[in-house]
């Protein structure tokens, strides 16, 4: 038997550290709850936070790179972040710095 949470992904840990519904994320004036990520968005975010490219994520998840890009943009919007670097910081539990544009892939 393993300890609870031993197999949690970095993103799942980071999501627990982010504000919850009692203290939601502010995204351009909108309130966004980080728990609104879909399972696919969480999977994409977890792999991207580990350093995989969209093409590598697509290969592992049997999706097109375009679909991965779409899900990643949704993650950025829902978490109120603007780049892969910020996503990795969230996953590592580091404080977020000034938000940057959405990696030039989200319009």
């Amino acid at each position: 038997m393993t300890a609870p949470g031993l197999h949690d992904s970095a993103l799942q840990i980071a999501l627990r550290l982010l504000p919850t519904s009692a203290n939601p994320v502010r995204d351009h004036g909108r309130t966004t709850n980080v728990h609104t990520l879909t399972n696919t968005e969480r999977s994409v975010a977890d792999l991207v936070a580990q350093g995989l490219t969209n093409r590598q994520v697509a290969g592992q998840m049997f999706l097109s790179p375009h679909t991965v890009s779409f899900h990643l943009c949704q993650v950025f919007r829902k978490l109120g972040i603007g780049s892969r670097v910020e996503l990795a910081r969230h996953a590592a539990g580091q404080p977020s710095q000034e938000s940057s544009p959405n990696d030039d892939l989200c319009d």
Side-chain angles (χ1 to χ4, degrees), residues 27-106:
D27 180 20
H28 306 291
R30 295 183 306 248
T31 301
T32 306
N33 186 333
V34 298
H35 299 290
T36 61
L37 291 180
T38 66
N39 289 337
T40 302
E41 289 165 352
R42 286 178 189 263
S43 296
V44 167
D46 188 36
L47 293 170
V48 169
Q50 292 175 36
L52 276 66
T53 65
N54 286 10
R55 197 169 286 229
Q56 291 169 325
V57 172
Q60 284 198 14
M61 294 183 67
F62 303 102
L63 301 170
S64 76
H66 177 77
T67 301
V68 171
S69 178
F70 172 80
H71 288 301
L72 189 56
C73 289
Q74 295 296 95
V75 170
F76 288 169
R77 182 183 58 79
K78 289 179 179 182
L79 296 183
I81 61 177
S83 72
R84 301 168 89 88
V85 172
E86 286 183 82
L87 181 59
R89 283 188 185 124
H90 278 290
Q94 297 175 359
S96 182
Q97 296 178 350
E98 194 69 27
S99 184
S100 59
N102 289 347
D103 251 17
D104 293 331
L105 57 96
C106 304

Side-chain angles (χ1 to χ4, degrees), residues 2-13:
T2 60
L6 185 62
H7 297 290
D8 284 349
S9 71
L11 182 64
Q12 289 169 331
I13 293 167

